Amino acid sequence: MYRKQLTAYGERSRQQVYETLWDFVHNTPVNEALASDDMLMQALAIVDARVGKRRLAQLDPEELHPLCGYLLLLRRGQTASLSPSQYAHARHTSVAATQAV
């Protein structure tokens, strides 16, 4: 009953994580994983070595889950001074400012 709500929030059972990992490694092309609504699948695709610099440059961190956006910036080498919590706070403030306008 609450599985979808917890998954949307980012909570997963161990079995769900294993299933996602297995699916990523054996069944899902990288481009499909990048376009996935599944945060874990996106994160795995972003850190995958098969995703090159040009493909990373095409991705917008604001359109991704905050964790995936941070991992994307890490892969690009753009987060030297930001911790994950600082990134999340900065992202939340910019989204709130955009919605207020």
Side-chain angles (χ1 to χ4, degrees):
M1 180 171 158
Y2 295 105
R3 183 176 180 175
K4 287 185 180 183
Q5 292 172 338
L6 291 174
T7 301
Y9 181 69
E11 297 282 332
R12 296 168 192 269
S13 69
R14 184 182 316 181
Q15 184 64 33
Q16 288 172 313
V17 172
Y18 289 155
E19 288 170 2
T20 302
L21 291 171
W22 181 269
D23 196 35
F24 177 75
V25 170
H26 297 284
N27 301 325
T28 309
V30 174
N31 287 333
E32 191 177 307
L34 285 170
S36 174
D37 291 334
D38 185 349
M39 177 267 308
L40 181 57
M41 186 74 75
Q42 275 186 358
L44 291 169
I46 288 171
V47 298
D48 193 308
R50 295 175 289 175
V51 177
K53 292 178 183 178
R54 285 180 279 184
R55 183 67 173 115
L56 290 173
Q58 294 172 352
L59 297 173
D60 181 11
E62 297 298 320
E63 293 179 7
L64 302 171
H65 184 277
L67 170 68
C68 298
Y70 185 75
L71 290 173
L72 174 63
L73 295 179
L74 275 176
R75 282 278 321 262
R76 290 179 180 171
Q78 298 175 336
T79 60
S81 62
L82 286 179
S83 71
S85 60
Q86 290 170 327
Y87 172 76
H89 177 72
R91 180 177 165 146
H92 177 70
T93 350
S94 69
V95 169
T98 306
Q99 290 175 349
V101 173

